Amino acid sequence: MIQTVKKQYEDNYDGTKKFSNLYKVTYENGEVLYVFHSEENRHYQEILEWVAEGNTITDNGGGE
Amino acid sequence: MALSTIPFSGLGADASNQGVNFRNLLINGDMSIAQRATSVSSITSGGYKTLDRFNIDINSAGTWTMSQSTTVPSGQGFATSLKMDCTTADASLSASDYLIVRTLLEGQNLQQLKFGTSSAESLTLSFWVRSNKTGTYAVWFYADVGNKSFSKTYTIDSADTWEKKTITINGDTASSFSNNNSIGLRINWYLAAGTTYTSGTLPTDWQTDSNGDRAVGQVNLADSTSNEWYITGVQLEVGTSASDFEFIPHDVQLQRCYRYYEKIGTNGEVYKPIGVGVKVNTDHTYTNIFFRTIKRTNNPTFSFSNLVSTDRQSTDADCTDIDAAYTDSHGVHVRFSHSAYGAARDAALITGDPSTTPSYFIADAEL
């Protein structure tokens, strides 16, 4: 079962942040997966189902 | 007589079965590859647990241990099997409860079946199975395109005895498989099923999937913690008869599994090489990781355990996160976060942690 989903950010050359098209998914058993924003990825489908259940993806804009 | 003039029939039936021609459409049917783990306990949710290419789907049907077992049918050449062991029973299934062991096939690997044409080929599934619980078990074939399915049953006749089962189904002349890397066919071995899946009638041909027709007559393997179920020698082939199991070399089997899941690194190796990189600042290292086999998709899921960014001079900085990854089916350019050391633009290696195991990097492109 998914516990949290967080958007991952990386630095641009100018120091600004951009979404890296990657989600950090933490499961209740402690497992951590890095999942691409892609319809054909089965873990991304899990994220979509998790969101459909009323959960929210954490987006801190690249801040800690 | 020159070798080239010996008729193939003269080699005998056994000899004709020794060549590897990939007639088995399934991968890891001898249950020899288990990259994730050899045993996982307390299973109450679905997913890939142990053996490559075989996963579980479960809905409130007890608690299970799934393992790669060395209990095998005698004299058949198998060294391993898949074992499901019930550790918490559910003797009274609700209507929607079920437990399935299944494997998934890519549509592009099924085109030779000519489904969706008048020449659609029959399929034969064969496997060795063993359980303490005798009775009727269902195998549900599901094709994603067209939402089509076909179910058949087999019977475990004798408790705790290996039995070879063969199931033949005719081809579907109405619906084809997509010619791509997505799911074409799902083969599902039911181990438990509530009335939602048993209340109908077993189909006699491919049909629009109907819940009640999937597992008619299925016993409840979840009804006792004494219950266990083994399977090995799983083969799916074109035609109406089952040939001997097609053994392929271990390295070939492993390469085929890598297409779907690749675990780079092993337990206990000091500075297991993962990638050569460069630090973009003091606490981030970019590295390239090349896959040993081209992956099924361009966007695998990644995970890692106990990796370090190291200069091999003074510092092994634990990797704590992946911020970004640029990937295709051949490899990935990945950015690891770690504690600060050294300076930007320094060379760095990503390796296994020399003091903590297990250390690995995983690329998962399973169906």
Side-chain angles (χ1 to χ4, degrees), chain B residues 20 44 49 97 106 134 137 188 240 251-252 286 308 360:
Chain B
V20 171
T44 57
K49 310 293 182 181
D97 294 350
E106 293 179 53
T134 59
Y137 291 72
N188 306 269
T240 57
D251 59 323
V252 177
Y286 265 113
V308 295
Y360 54 77

Side-chain angles (χ1 to χ4, degrees), chain B residues 188-238:
Chain B
N188 306 269
W189 287 264
Y190 268 99
L191 303 184
T195 55
T196 296
Y197 307 103
T198 62
S199 59
T201 304
L202 273 179
T204 56
D205 203 344
W206 287 91
Q207 64 176 24
T208 300
D209 185 50
S210 173
N211 283 345
D213 297 349
R214 291 179 181 177
V216 177
Q218 174 67 47
V219 300
N220 179 15
L221 191 73
D223 67 1
S224 169
T225 56
S226 298
N227 290 348
E228 56 193 21
W229 180 86
Y230 301 85
I231 189 169
T232 194
V234 184
Q235 181 153 285
L236 181 70
E237 55 197 308
V238 180

